[in-house]
Amino acid sequence: MLEIGSGTGVNFPYYERGVHVDAIEPNPLMMNQTKKRKDAAIASIETYLASAEKLPFPDDSFGAVVATLVFCTIPEPAKALQEIKRVSKSDATFLLFEHVRMDHKMLGKTQDFLTPAWKKVCDGCHLNRDTLELLKQSDFSISKVDSYFYGLFLAIECSNIKEVKRINIDEASK
Ligand SMILES: C[S@@+](CC[C@H](N)C(=O)[O-])C[C@H]1O[C@@H](n2cnc3c(N)ncnc32)[C@H](O)[C@@H]1O
């Protein structure tokens, strides 16, 4: 399993025994704070100082990928999604919990207005990023979207579709 932008390791206690997690995080200050949670975790966890846009793993490495409150901050989210697709196996599960631009005229516009200042004080976080739309454009197959706080937060379940699979289907129909 791969975790993107693990920060201080808040998700580490939730991984089960017997699971191996490779967790990437580009901020060394965040990474320094993960040690306690890494040592306390019952899962086996390996951390890497790396960005989602350039993942240090070979193609087709992971059966599951997790990202929580990360896509708002990634400077090049489309590139990150390409990388996640690359390192994921075909049909790998990709689970996200993200805050997004709200589908509400006034609140969405308020997010747009706040984003320039918000980015400066919140470490590059885009309050108004439409991560669900980015996922759709990246050709992930979205199976479930749960919305919280009037659509401010989304829990998204999707899976990876590999190009090779579509080629096989095309070939099979000949
Ligand atoms: C709001 S924190 C969330 C941390 C953690 N996932 C959580 O749920 O508490 C956002 C995280 O995204 C990380 N991040 C920023 N740019 C990134 C990138 N290009 N690739 C991966 N992670 C990134 C930040 O360093 C930070 O740890």
PDB file of all heavy atoms in Angstrom, residues 3-11 24-28 30-31 50-55 67-76 80 97 99 122-123 125, ligand 1:
ATOM      1  N   GLU A   3       0.956   5.471   0.737  1.00  0.00           N
ATOM      2  CA  GLU A   3       0.284   6.688   1.230  1.00  0.00           C
ATOM      3  C   GLU A   3       0.998   7.911   0.666  1.00  0.00           C
ATOM      4  O   GLU A   3       2.224   8.036   0.715  1.00  0.00           O
ATOM      5  CB  GLU A   3       0.256   6.754   2.764  1.00  0.00           C
ATOM      6  CG  GLU A   3      -0.478   8.034   3.169  1.00  0.00           C
ATOM      7  CD  GLU A   3      -0.799   8.210   4.638  1.00  0.00           C
ATOM      8  OE1 GLU A   3      -0.738   7.227   5.412  1.00  0.00           O
ATOM      9  OE2 GLU A   3      -1.116   9.359   5.005  1.00  0.00           O
ATOM     10  N   ILE A   4       0.199   8.836   0.133  1.00  0.00           N
ATOM     11  CA  ILE A   4       0.722  10.060  -0.480  1.00  0.00           C
ATOM     12  C   ILE A   4       0.652  11.205   0.534  1.00  0.00           C
ATOM     13  O   ILE A   4      -0.415  11.467   1.108  1.00  0.00           O
ATOM     14  CB  ILE A   4      -0.149  10.441  -1.718  1.00  0.00           C
ATOM     15  CG1 ILE A   4      -0.164   9.327  -2.754  1.00  0.00           C
ATOM     16  CG2 ILE A   4       0.306  11.762  -2.335  1.00  0.00           C
ATOM     17  CD1 ILE A   4       1.133   9.074  -3.459  1.00  0.00           C
ATOM     18  N   GLY A   5       1.765  11.891   0.747  1.00  0.00           N
ATOM     19  CA  GLY A   5       1.760  13.070   1.635  1.00  0.00           C
ATOM     20  C   GLY A   5       1.335  12.724   3.039  1.00  0.00           C
ATOM     21  O   GLY A   5       0.367  13.273   3.563  1.00  0.00           O
ATOM     22  N   SER A   6       2.078  11.830   3.673  1.00  0.00           N
ATOM     23  CA  SER A   6       1.663  11.286   4.976  1.00  0.00           C
ATOM     24  C   SER A   6       1.808  12.284   6.119  1.00  0.00           C
ATOM     25  O   SER A   6       1.351  12.017   7.236  1.00  0.00           O
ATOM     26  CB  SER A   6       2.446  10.009   5.275  1.00  0.00           C
ATOM     27  OG  SER A   6       3.828  10.250   5.138  1.00  0.00           O
ATOM     28  N   GLY A   7       2.417  13.436   5.867  1.00  0.00           N
ATOM     29  CA  GLY A   7       2.517  14.477   6.897  1.00  0.00           C
ATOM     30  C   GLY A   7       3.199  13.962   8.151  1.00  0.00           C
ATOM     31  O   GLY A   7       4.299  13.402   8.104  1.00  0.00           O
ATOM     32  N   THR A   8       2.501  14.118   9.285  1.00  0.00           N
ATOM     33  CA  THR A   8       3.081  13.675  10.565  1.00  0.00           C
ATOM     34  C   THR A   8       2.705  12.223  10.881  1.00  0.00           C
ATOM     35  O   THR A   8       2.973  11.745  11.984  1.00  0.00           O
ATOM     36  CB  THR A   8       2.602  14.588  11.711  1.00  0.00           C
ATOM     37  OG1 THR A   8       1.166  14.551  11.735  1.00  0.00           O
ATOM     38  CG2 THR A   8       3.069  16.019  11.517  1.00  0.00           C
ATOM     39  N   GLY A   9       2.069  11.557   9.929  1.00  0.00           N
ATOM     40  CA  GLY A   9       1.745  10.131  10.127  1.00  0.00           C
ATOM     41  C   GLY A   9       0.434   9.892  10.862  1.00  0.00           C
ATOM     42  O   GLY A   9       0.263   8.852  11.493  1.00  0.00           O
ATOM     43  N   VAL A  10      -0.526  10.815  10.717  1.00  0.00           N
ATOM     44  CA  VAL A  10      -1.798  10.652  11.445  1.00  0.00           C
ATOM     45  C   VAL A  10      -2.556   9.382  11.052  1.00  0.00           C
ATOM     46  O   VAL A  10      -3.344   8.864  11.836  1.00  0.00           O
ATOM     47  CB  VAL A  10      -2.751  11.870  11.298  1.00  0.00           C
ATOM     48  CG1 VAL A  10      -2.292  13.046  12.102  1.00  0.00           C
ATOM     49  CG2 VAL A  10      -2.972  12.237   9.854  1.00  0.00           C
ATOM     50  N   ASN A  11      -2.314   8.906   9.826  1.00  0.00           N
ATOM     51  CA  ASN A  11      -3.040   7.690   9.401  1.00  0.00           C
ATOM     52  C   ASN A  11      -2.347   6.399   9.835  1.00  0.00           C
ATOM     53  O   ASN A  11      -2.951   5.324   9.761  1.00  0.00           O
ATOM     54  CB  ASN A  11      -3.188   7.674   7.875  1.00  0.00           C
ATOM     55  CG  ASN A  11      -4.101   8.774   7.384  1.00  0.00           C
ATOM     56  OD1 ASN A  11      -5.084   9.103   8.053  1.00  0.00           O
ATOM     57  ND2 ASN A  11      -3.785   9.363   6.237  1.00  0.00           N
ATOM     58  N   ILE A  24       5.022   8.409   1.370  1.00  0.00           N
ATOM     59  CA  ILE A  24       5.911   9.472   0.866  1.00  0.00           C
ATOM     60  C   ILE A  24       5.459  10.819   1.425  1.00  0.00           C
ATOM     61  O   ILE A  24       4.269  11.076   1.608  1.00  0.00           O
ATOM     62  CB  ILE A  24       5.980   9.512  -0.684  1.00  0.00           C
ATOM     63  CG1 ILE A  24       4.619   9.915  -1.304  1.00  0.00           C
ATOM     64  CG2 ILE A  24       6.443   8.190  -1.265  1.00  0.00           C
ATOM     65  CD1 ILE A  24       4.628  11.279  -1.915  1.00  0.00           C
ATOM     66  N   GLU A  25       6.446  11.671   1.703  1.00  0.00           N
ATOM     67  CA  GLU A  25       6.178  13.005   2.239  1.00  0.00           C
ATOM     68  C   GLU A  25       7.368  13.897   1.836  1.00  0.00           C
ATOM     69  O   GLU A  25       8.515  13.539   2.088  1.00  0.00           O
ATOM     70  CB  GLU A  25       6.039  12.912   3.772  1.00  0.00           C
ATOM     71  CG  GLU A  25       6.086  14.223   4.524  1.00  0.00           C
ATOM     72  CD  GLU A  25       5.031  15.246   4.067  1.00  0.00           C
ATOM     73  OE1 GLU A  25       3.852  14.891   3.952  1.00  0.00           O
ATOM     74  OE2 GLU A  25       5.430  16.394   3.805  1.00  0.00           O
ATOM     75  N   PRO A  26       7.109  15.053   1.170  1.00  0.00           N
ATOM     76  CA  PRO A  26       8.237  15.866   0.705  1.00  0.00           C
ATOM     77  C   PRO A  26       8.796  16.846   1.731  1.00  0.00           C
ATOM     78  O   PRO A  26       9.873  17.398   1.526  1.00  0.00           O
ATOM     79  CB  PRO A  26       7.623  16.646  -0.465  1.00  0.00           C
ATOM     80  CG  PRO A  26       6.178  16.755  -0.142  1.00  0.00           C
ATOM     81  CD  PRO A  26       5.821  15.551   0.676  1.00  0.00           C
ATOM     82  N   ASN A  27       8.064  17.067   2.810  1.00  0.00           N
ATOM     83  CA  ASN A  27       8.488  18.089   3.774  1.00  0.00           C
ATOM     84  C   ASN A  27       9.282  17.439   4.917  1.00  0.00           C
ATOM     85  O   ASN A  27       8.715  16.711   5.742  1.00  0.00           O
ATOM     86  CB  ASN A  27       7.236  18.803   4.312  1.00  0.00           C
ATOM     87  CG  ASN A  27       7.588  19.943   5.247  1.00  0.00           C
ATOM     88  OD1 ASN A  27       8.678  19.983   5.816  1.00  0.00           O
ATOM     89  ND2 ASN A  27       6.659  20.861   5.417  1.00  0.00           N
ATOM     90  N   PRO A  28      10.602  17.717   4.990  1.00  0.00           N
ATOM     91  CA  PRO A  28      11.421  17.057   6.014  1.00  0.00           C
ATOM     92  C   PRO A  28      10.954  17.364   7.435  1.00  0.00           C
ATOM     93  O   PRO A  28      11.087  16.524   8.338  1.00  0.00           O
ATOM     94  CB  PRO A  28      12.827  17.631   5.791  1.00  0.00           C
ATOM     95  CG  PRO A  28      12.773  18.454   4.565  1.00  0.00           C
ATOM     96  CD  PRO A  28      11.346  18.654   4.158  1.00  0.00           C
ATOM     97  N   MET A  30       7.841  17.757   8.453  1.00  0.00           N
ATOM     98  CA  MET A  30       6.720  16.840   8.731  1.00  0.00           C
ATOM     99  C   MET A  30       7.273  15.442   8.988  1.00  0.00           C
ATOM    100  O   MET A  30       6.875  14.748   9.925  1.00  0.00           O
ATOM    101  CB  MET A  30       5.783  16.773   7.528  1.00  0.00           C
ATOM    102  CG  MET A  30       5.010  18.017   7.280  1.00  0.00           C
ATOM    103  SD  MET A  30       3.477  17.958   8.209  1.00  0.00           S
ATOM    104  CE  MET A  30       2.622  19.347   7.506  1.00  0.00           C
ATOM    105  N   MET A  31       8.191  15.059   8.113  1.00  0.00           N
ATOM    106  CA  MET A  31       8.748  13.707   8.179  1.00  0.00           C
ATOM    107  C   MET A  31       9.409  13.442   9.537  1.00  0.00           C
ATOM    108  O   MET A  31       9.271  12.362  10.111  1.00  0.00           O
ATOM    109  CB  MET A  31       9.763  13.542   7.043  1.00  0.00           C
ATOM    110  CG  MET A  31      10.284  12.165   6.866  1.00  0.00           C
ATOM    111  SD  MET A  31       9.004  11.074   6.292  1.00  0.00           S
ATOM    112  CE  MET A  31       9.488  10.868   4.610  1.00  0.00           C
ATOM    113  N   ALA A  50       9.821  12.280  -0.564  1.00  0.00           N
ATOM    114  CA  ALA A  50       9.557  12.338  -2.012  1.00  0.00           C
ATOM    115  C   ALA A  50       8.244  13.073  -2.271  1.00  0.00           C
ATOM    116  O   ALA A  50       7.407  13.209  -1.375  1.00  0.00           O
ATOM    117  CB  ALA A  50       9.467  10.926  -2.587  1.00  0.00           C
ATOM    118  N   SER A  51       8.092  13.540  -3.522  1.00  0.00           N
ATOM    119  CA  SER A  51       6.864  14.247  -3.923  1.00  0.00           C
ATOM    120  C   SER A  51       5.995  13.331  -4.771  1.00  0.00           C
ATOM    121  O   SER A  51       6.509  12.456  -5.481  1.00  0.00           O
ATOM    122  CB  SER A  51       7.227  15.461  -4.778  1.00  0.00           C
ATOM    123  OG  SER A  51       7.956  16.368  -4.009  1.00  0.00           O
ATOM    124  N   ALA A  52       4.700  13.609  -4.729  1.00  0.00           N
ATOM    125  CA  ALA A  52       3.754  12.787  -5.486  1.00  0.00           C
ATOM    126  C   ALA A  52       3.987  12.912  -6.993  1.00  0.00           C
ATOM    127  O   ALA A  52       3.650  12.010  -7.749  1.00  0.00           O
ATOM    128  CB  ALA A  52       2.328  13.207  -5.151  1.00  0.00           C
ATOM    129  N   GLU A  53       4.564  14.043  -7.417  1.00  0.00           N
ATOM    130  CA  GLU A  53       4.796  14.241  -8.854  1.00  0.00           C
ATOM    131  C   GLU A  53       5.956  13.395  -9.366  1.00  0.00           C
ATOM    132  O   GLU A  53       6.148  13.274 -10.571  1.00  0.00           O
ATOM    133  CB  GLU A  53       5.112  15.708  -9.169  1.00  0.00           C
ATOM    134  CG  GLU A  53       3.965  16.672  -8.919  1.00  0.00           C
ATOM    135  CD  GLU A  53       4.019  17.317  -7.543  1.00  0.00           C
ATOM    136  OE1 GLU A  53       4.527  16.660  -6.593  1.00  0.00           O
ATOM    137  OE2 GLU A  53       3.557  18.454  -7.405  1.00  0.00           O
ATOM    138  N   LYS A  54       6.774  12.856  -8.456  1.00  0.00           N
ATOM    139  CA  LYS A  54       7.900  12.023  -8.888  1.00  0.00           C
ATOM    140  C   LYS A  54       8.070  10.894  -7.864  1.00  0.00           C
ATOM    141  O   LYS A  54       8.880  11.001  -6.935  1.00  0.00           O
ATOM    142  CB  LYS A  54       9.171  12.885  -8.984  1.00  0.00           C
ATOM    143  CG  LYS A  54      10.250  12.240  -9.804  1.00  0.00           C
ATOM    144  CD  LYS A  54      11.386  13.172 -10.152  1.00  0.00           C
ATOM    145  CE  LYS A  54      12.380  12.425 -11.007  1.00  0.00           C
ATOM    146  NZ  LYS A  54      13.742  12.668 -10.695  1.00  0.00           N
ATOM    147  N   LEU A  55       7.302   9.859  -8.035  1.00  0.00           N
ATOM    148  CA  LEU A  55       7.299   8.779  -7.045  1.00  0.00           C
ATOM    149  C   LEU A  55       8.471   7.826  -7.276  1.00  0.00           C
ATOM    150  O   LEU A  55       8.710   7.398  -8.411  1.00  0.00           O
ATOM    151  CB  LEU A  55       5.966   8.018  -7.121  1.00  0.00           C
ATOM    152  CG  LEU A  55       4.737   8.837  -6.701  1.00  0.00           C
ATOM    153  CD1 LEU A  55       3.445   8.083  -7.006  1.00  0.00           C
ATOM    154  CD2 LEU A  55       4.796   9.184  -5.215  1.00  0.00           C
ATOM    155  N   ALA A  67      -4.724   8.847   0.124  1.00  0.00           N
ATOM    156  CA  ALA A  67      -4.317  10.261   0.228  1.00  0.00           C
ATOM    157  C   ALA A  67      -5.364  10.998   1.057  1.00  0.00           C
ATOM    158  O   ALA A  67      -6.553  10.940   0.730  1.00  0.00           O
ATOM    159  CB  ALA A  67      -4.215  10.886  -1.159  1.00  0.00           C
ATOM    160  N   THR A  68      -4.951  11.636   2.140  1.00  0.00           N
ATOM    161  CA  THR A  68      -5.911  12.414   2.933  1.00  0.00           C
ATOM    162  C   THR A  68      -5.427  13.853   3.052  1.00  0.00           C
ATOM    163  O   THR A  68      -4.302  14.105   3.481  1.00  0.00           O
ATOM    164  CB  THR A  68      -6.123  11.804   4.349  1.00  0.00           C
ATOM    165  OG1 THR A  68      -4.901  11.824   5.080  1.00  0.00           O
ATOM    166  CG2 THR A  68      -6.637  10.384   4.290  1.00  0.00           C
ATOM    167  N   LEU A  69      -6.274  14.772   2.634  1.00  0.00           N
ATOM    168  CA  LEU A  69      -6.024  16.220   2.739  1.00  0.00           C
ATOM    169  C   LEU A  69      -4.688  16.620   2.116  1.00  0.00           C
ATOM    170  O   LEU A  69      -3.930  17.403   2.680  1.00  0.00           O
ATOM    171  CB  LEU A  69      -6.104  16.655   4.213  1.00  0.00           C
ATOM    172  CG  LEU A  69      -7.429  16.323   4.901  1.00  0.00           C
ATOM    173  CD1 LEU A  69      -7.359  16.617   6.394  1.00  0.00           C
ATOM    174  CD2 LEU A  69      -8.598  17.075   4.270  1.00  0.00           C
ATOM    175  N   VAL A  70      -4.408  16.040   0.966  1.00  0.00           N
ATOM    176  CA  VAL A  70      -3.123  16.243   0.302  1.00  0.00           C
ATOM    177  C   VAL A  70      -3.278  16.947  -1.045  1.00  0.00           C
ATOM    178  O   VAL A  70      -2.489  17.837  -1.377  1.00  0.00           O
ATOM    179  CB  VAL A  70      -2.434  14.870   0.069  1.00  0.00           C
ATOM    180  CG1 VAL A  70      -1.175  15.028  -0.746  1.00  0.00           C
ATOM    181  CG2 VAL A  70      -2.116  14.203   1.379  1.00  0.00           C
ATOM    182  N   PHE A  71      -4.308  16.570  -1.797  1.00  0.00           N
ATOM    183  CA  PHE A  71      -4.381  17.095  -3.168  1.00  0.00           C
ATOM    184  C   PHE A  71      -4.597  18.609  -3.224  1.00  0.00           C
ATOM    185  O   PHE A  71      -4.278  19.247  -4.231  1.00  0.00           O
ATOM    186  CB  PHE A  71      -5.409  16.319  -3.998  1.00  0.00           C
ATOM    187  CG  PHE A  71      -4.746  15.174  -4.690  1.00  0.00           C
ATOM    188  CD1 PHE A  71      -4.517  13.988  -4.030  1.00  0.00           C
ATOM    189  CD2 PHE A  71      -4.236  15.330  -5.970  1.00  0.00           C
ATOM    190  CE1 PHE A  71      -3.814  12.959  -4.636  1.00  0.00           C
ATOM    191  CE2 PHE A  71      -3.534  14.313  -6.594  1.00  0.00           C
ATOM    192  CZ  PHE A  71      -3.324  13.126  -5.924  1.00  0.00           C
ATOM    193  N   CYS A  72      -5.061  19.197  -2.138  1.00  0.00           N
ATOM    194  CA  CYS A  72      -5.199  20.662  -2.075  1.00  0.00           C
ATOM    195  C   CYS A  72      -3.827  21.341  -2.108  1.00  0.00           C
ATOM    196  O   CYS A  72      -3.693  22.480  -2.531  1.00  0.00           O
ATOM    197  CB  CYS A  72      -5.918  21.037  -0.779  1.00  0.00           C
ATOM    198  SG  CYS A  72      -5.193  20.248   0.669  1.00  0.00           S
ATOM    199  N   THR A  73      -2.797  20.630  -1.697  1.00  0.00           N
ATOM    200  CA  THR A  73      -1.469  21.238  -1.517  1.00  0.00           C
ATOM    201  C   THR A  73      -0.470  20.867  -2.612  1.00  0.00           C
ATOM    202  O   THR A  73       0.508  21.573  -2.824  1.00  0.00           O
ATOM    203  CB  THR A  73      -0.883  20.798  -0.137  1.00  0.00           C
ATOM    204  OG1 THR A  73      -1.869  21.013   0.861  1.00  0.00           O
ATOM    205  CG2 THR A  73       0.349  21.585   0.229  1.00  0.00           C
ATOM    206  N   ILE A  74      -0.701  19.783  -3.304  1.00  0.00           N
ATOM    207  CA  ILE A  74       0.256  19.329  -4.319  1.00  0.00           C
ATOM    208  C   ILE A  74       0.354  20.374  -5.441  1.00  0.00           C
ATOM    209  O   ILE A  74      -0.661  20.727  -6.046  1.00  0.00           O
ATOM    210  CB  ILE A  74      -0.167  17.946  -4.867  1.00  0.00           C
ATOM    211  CG1 ILE A  74      -0.019  16.893  -3.763  1.00  0.00           C
ATOM    212  CG2 ILE A  74       0.650  17.575  -6.096  1.00  0.00           C
ATOM    213  CD1 ILE A  74      -0.468  15.501  -4.158  1.00  0.00           C
ATOM    214  N   PRO A  75       1.553  20.892  -5.745  1.00  0.00           N
ATOM    215  CA  PRO A  75       1.674  21.940  -6.766  1.00  0.00           C
ATOM    216  C   PRO A  75       1.194  21.508  -8.156  1.00  0.00           C
ATOM    217  O   PRO A  75       0.589  22.286  -8.863  1.00  0.00           O
ATOM    218  CB  PRO A  75       3.177  22.258  -6.772  1.00  0.00           C
ATOM    219  CG  PRO A  75       3.679  21.812  -5.441  1.00  0.00           C
ATOM    220  CD  PRO A  75       2.829  20.631  -5.056  1.00  0.00           C
ATOM    221  N   GLU A  76       1.459  20.261  -8.544  1.00  0.00           N
ATOM    222  CA  GLU A  76       1.027  19.801  -9.879  1.00  0.00           C
ATOM    223  C   GLU A  76       0.158  18.540  -9.721  1.00  0.00           C
ATOM    224  O   GLU A  76       0.642  17.415  -9.931  1.00  0.00           O
ATOM    225  CB  GLU A  76       2.249  19.479 -10.736  1.00  0.00           C
ATOM    226  CG  GLU A  76       3.120  20.690 -11.042  1.00  0.00           C
ATOM    227  CD  GLU A  76       4.327  20.311 -11.874  1.00  0.00           C
ATOM    228  OE1 GLU A  76       4.232  20.319 -13.102  1.00  0.00           O
ATOM    229  OE2 GLU A  76       5.363  19.967 -11.261  1.00  0.00           O
ATOM    230  N   ALA A  80       0.753  14.428 -10.422  1.00  0.00           N
ATOM    231  CA  ALA A  80       0.730  13.476  -9.301  1.00  0.00           C
ATOM    232  C   ALA A  80      -0.215  12.312  -9.611  1.00  0.00           C
ATOM    233  O   ALA A  80       0.109  11.148  -9.347  1.00  0.00           O
ATOM    234  CB  ALA A  80       0.298  14.192  -8.021  1.00  0.00           C
ATOM    235  N   PHE A  97      -9.519  11.364   0.916  1.00  0.00           N
ATOM    236  CA  PHE A  97     -10.391  12.212   1.726  1.00  0.00           C
ATOM    237  C   PHE A  97      -9.833  13.618   1.571  1.00  0.00           C
ATOM    238  O   PHE A  97      -8.699  13.882   1.991  1.00  0.00           O
ATOM    239  CB  PHE A  97     -10.395  11.772   3.198  1.00  0.00           C
ATOM    240  CG  PHE A  97     -11.310  12.614   4.033  1.00  0.00           C
ATOM    241  CD1 PHE A  97     -12.686  12.420   3.994  1.00  0.00           C
ATOM    242  CD2 PHE A  97     -10.810  13.618   4.853  1.00  0.00           C
ATOM    243  CE1 PHE A  97     -13.549  13.218   4.740  1.00  0.00           C
ATOM    244  CE2 PHE A  97     -11.661  14.417   5.604  1.00  0.00           C
ATOM    245  CZ  PHE A  97     -13.035  14.208   5.548  1.00  0.00           C
ATOM    246  N   HIS A  99     -10.591  18.110   1.045  1.00  0.00           N
ATOM    247  CA  HIS A  99     -11.516  19.243   0.967  1.00  0.00           C
ATOM    248  C   HIS A  99     -11.439  19.785  -0.459  1.00  0.00           C
ATOM    249  O   HIS A  99     -10.377  19.761  -1.087  1.00  0.00           O
ATOM    250  CB  HIS A  99     -11.243  20.303   2.037  1.00  0.00           C
ATOM    251  CG  HIS A  99      -9.968  21.069   1.878  1.00  0.00           C
ATOM    252  ND1 HIS A  99      -9.790  22.022   0.915  1.00  0.00           N
ATOM    253  CD2 HIS A  99      -8.809  21.019   2.562  1.00  0.00           C
ATOM    254  CE1 HIS A  99      -8.585  22.535   1.024  1.00  0.00           C
ATOM    255  NE2 HIS A  99      -7.949  21.928   2.008  1.00  0.00           N
ATOM    256  N   CYS A 122      -1.301  28.868   4.595  1.00  0.00           N
ATOM    257  CA  CYS A 122      -1.512  27.428   4.850  1.00  0.00           C
ATOM    258  C   CYS A 122      -0.629  26.556   3.949  1.00  0.00           C
ATOM    259  O   CYS A 122      -1.108  25.557   3.371  1.00  0.00           O
ATOM    260  CB  CYS A 122      -2.978  27.058   4.694  1.00  0.00           C
ATOM    261  SG  CYS A 122      -4.020  27.853   5.889  1.00  0.00           S
ATOM    262  N   ASP A 123       0.608  26.920   3.798  1.00  0.00           N
ATOM    263  CA  ASP A 123       1.598  26.054   3.167  1.00  0.00           C
ATOM    264  C   ASP A 123       1.199  25.592   1.754  1.00  0.00           C
ATOM    265  O   ASP A 123       1.337  24.419   1.407  1.00  0.00           O
ATOM    266  CB  ASP A 123       1.834  24.834   4.089  1.00  0.00           C
ATOM    267  CG  ASP A 123       3.153  24.125   3.783  1.00  0.00           C
ATOM    268  OD1 ASP A 123       4.054  24.769   3.237  1.00  0.00           O
ATOM    269  OD2 ASP A 123       3.254  22.909   4.083  1.00  0.00           O
ATOM    270  N   CYS A 125      -1.835  25.452   0.377  1.00  0.00           N
ATOM    271  CA  CYS A 125      -3.135  24.765   0.268  1.00  0.00           C
ATOM    272  C   CYS A 125      -4.126  25.577  -0.576  1.00  0.00           C
ATOM    273  O   CYS A 125      -4.376  26.742  -0.301  1.00  0.00           O
ATOM    274  CB  CYS A 125      -3.697  24.541   1.670  1.00  0.00           C
ATOM    275  SG  CYS A 125      -5.402  24.005   1.673  1.00  0.00           S
TER     276      CYS A 125
HETATM  277  C1  LIG B   1      -2.677  19.134   5.247  1.00  0.00           C
HETATM  278  S1  LIG B   1      -1.282  18.109   5.213  1.00  0.00           S
HETATM  279  C2  LIG B   1      -2.028  16.499   5.368  1.00  0.00           C
HETATM  280  C3  LIG B   1      -1.103  15.483   5.954  1.00  0.00           C
HETATM  281  C4  LIG B   1      -1.722  14.112   6.199  1.00  0.00           C
HETATM  282  N1  LIG B   1      -2.017  13.431   4.977  1.00  0.00           N
HETATM  283  C5  LIG B   1      -2.957  14.220   7.064  1.00  0.00           C
HETATM  284  O1  LIG B   1      -4.025  13.746   6.659  1.00  0.00           O
HETATM  285  O2  LIG B   1      -2.837  14.754   8.184  1.00  0.00           O
HETATM  286  C6  LIG B   1      -0.784  18.147   3.505  1.00  0.00           C
HETATM  287  C7  LIG B   1       0.441  17.338   3.234  1.00  0.00           C
HETATM  288  O3  LIG B   1       0.705  17.300   1.835  1.00  0.00           O
HETATM  289  C8  LIG B   1       2.108  17.313   1.685  1.00  0.00           C
HETATM  290  N2  LIG B   1       2.492  17.694   0.321  1.00  0.00           N
HETATM  291  C9  LIG B   1       2.702  18.922  -0.186  1.00  0.00           C
HETATM  292  N3  LIG B   1       3.133  18.861  -1.456  1.00  0.00           N
HETATM  293  C10 LIG B   1       3.192  17.549  -1.766  1.00  0.00           C
HETATM  294  C11 LIG B   1       3.594  16.835  -2.925  1.00  0.00           C
HETATM  295  N4  LIG B   1       4.000  17.474  -4.028  1.00  0.00           N
HETATM  296  N5  LIG B   1       3.571  15.487  -2.877  1.00  0.00           N
HETATM  297  C12 LIG B   1       3.148  14.836  -1.770  1.00  0.00           C
HETATM  298  N6  LIG B   1       2.756  15.456  -0.638  1.00  0.00           N
HETATM  299  C13 LIG B   1       2.776  16.799  -0.638  1.00  0.00           C
HETATM  300  C14 LIG B   1       2.540  18.338   2.729  1.00  0.00           C
HETATM  301  O4  LIG B   1       3.922  18.319   2.993  1.00  0.00           O
HETATM  302  C15 LIG B   1       1.691  17.910   3.895  1.00  0.00           C
HETATM  303  O5  LIG B   1       2.288  16.921   4.665  1.00  0.00           O
END
